[in-house]
Amino acid sequence: GAVVSQHPSRVICKSGTSVKIECRSLDFQATTMFWYRQFPKKSLMLMATSNEGSKATYEQGVEKDKFLINHASLTLSTLTVTSAHPEDSSFYICSANAYSYNEQFFGPGTRLTVL
Amino acid sequence: GEDVEQSLFLSVREGDSSVINCTYTDSSSTYLYWYKQEPGAGLQLLTYIFSNMDMKQDQRLTVLLNKKDKHLSLRIADTQTGDSAIYFCAESRVDKIIFGKGTRLHILP
């Protein structure tokens, strides 16, 4: 099946710094990538939908200046958490749309801890 | 409402069948999904069912869909220790997929 990777898998940073998370589709071209955030004991929350070459579409309540998304190519999307604070600590998961919007392949996730 | 609902915890003895239930809200959903998440990992698509189907079987997995009641279930036959994970039910909407909170499946020896 299609493979999606994320880097880094874990990151610990100081409050106020920015962190970039990469999401790559390894063996297919992803026209659309999705970024999710997972809270403990809560469902996955869709943060934004990212289409190659255009601006990301953010879900209601997600600050676009806080969570910068860039989808520069058909195989790479990045999420930058700017001026991170402890409340941004979470598990961030990306997914990529391979053949139709109904088929998504998920990355392994990135655990962000902000001290 | 907007939510996909599922129980948070299920405990099953090894070798027994596990049944995880889910209710969804959008009657126009085209696809319904079951995802598996192992500790510290991302999500893995287990199976999905098209909304015009009542049942889908794939090896040890059986998905039942009751469209009238908007109820979806996942049955895992002969549950093994490797099945221990969180199982997410999800429904497709027009431009996104909505997930339930996940059911943690615990296997008893």
Side-chain angles (χ1 to χ4, degrees), chain A residues 21-72:
Chain A
I21 303 170
E22 293 185 350
C23 176
R24 292 182 186 272
S25 55
L26 297 185
D27 50 3
F28 65 98
Q29 292 185 329
T31 52
T32 306
M33 288 185 170
F34 304 84
W35 286 96
Y36 295 86
R37 181 173 176 177
Q38 186 177 30
F39 297 92
K41 298 183 180 180
K42 290 189 179 181
S43 58
L44 283 173
M45 305 299 294
L46 178 64
M47 298 174 68
T49 302
S50 166
N51 290 295
E52 185 263 339
S54 63
K55 290 184 179 179
T57 302
Y58 289 81
E59 294 297 300
Q60 192 172 10
V62 178
E63 298 175 61
K64 60 182 180 182
D65 295 328
K66 171 83 173 167
F67 299 99
L68 299 177
I69 291 172
N70 183 278
H71 192 160

Side-chain angles (χ1 to χ4, degrees), chain B residues 11-23:
Chain B
S11 189
V12 173
R13 292 203 178 278
E14 189 175 359
D16 288 351
S17 292
S18 305
V19 180
I20 304 171
N21 295 301
C22 167
T23 56

Side-chain angles (χ1 to χ4, degrees), chain A residues 7 18 20 22 34 55 59 63 76 79 82 98 105-107:
Chain A
H7 178 79
S18 294
K20 181 186 283 188
E22 293 185 350
F34 304 84
K55 290 184 179 179
E59 294 297 300
E63 298 175 61
L76 173 65
L79 167 68
T82 62
F105 296 92
F106 286 83

Side-chain angles (χ1 to χ4, degrees), chain A residues 10 34 36 38 41-44 46 49 59 91 93 101-109 111, chain B residues 8 30-31 33 35 37 40-45 88 92-97 99-102:
Chain A
R10 289 180 180 272
F34 304 84
Y36 295 86
Q38 186 177 30
K41 298 183 180 180
K42 290 189 179 181
S43 58
L44 283 173
L46 178 64
T49 302
E59 294 297 300
F91 194 54
I93 301 175
Y101 88 90
N102 275 317
E103 188 164 9
Q104 293 186 35
F105 296 92
F106 286 83
R111 171 74 61 191
Chain B
L8 294 181
T30 309
Y31 292 91
Y33 306 85
Y35 288 87
Q37 185 180 29
L43 273 71
Q44 171 196 2
L45 178 64
F88 290 89
S92 64
R93 298 282 173 88
V94 173
D95 57 354
K96 54 190 170 184
I97 295 178
F99 291 83
K101 291 181 170 56

Side-chain angles (χ1 to χ4, degrees), chain B residues 25-88:
Chain B
T25 56
D26 190 347
S27 59
S28 64
S29 292
T30 309
Y31 292 91
L32 295 130
Y33 306 85
W34 284 103
Y35 288 87
K36 178 182 180 181
Q37 185 180 29
E38 296 183 357
L43 273 71
Q44 171 196 2
L45 178 64
L46 274 182
T47 186
Y48 65 90
I49 189 167
F50 192 54
S51 60
N52 67 355
M53 298 168 65
D54 297 323
M55 185 183 84
K56 181 178 180 181
Q57 187 152 5
D58 183 3
Q59 299 182 338
R60 292 192 297 123
L61 305 178
T62 303
V63 178
L64 295 178
L65 175 61
N66 180 328
K67 204 172 176 183
K68 175 176 169 290
D69 294 336
K70 300 191 189 69
H71 182 267
L72 183 74
S73 68
L74 173 69
R75 178 177 179 270
I76 305 172
D78 187 25
T79 308
Q80 304 297 310
T81 54
D83 295 325
S84 181
I86 300 176
Y87 291 82
F88 290 89

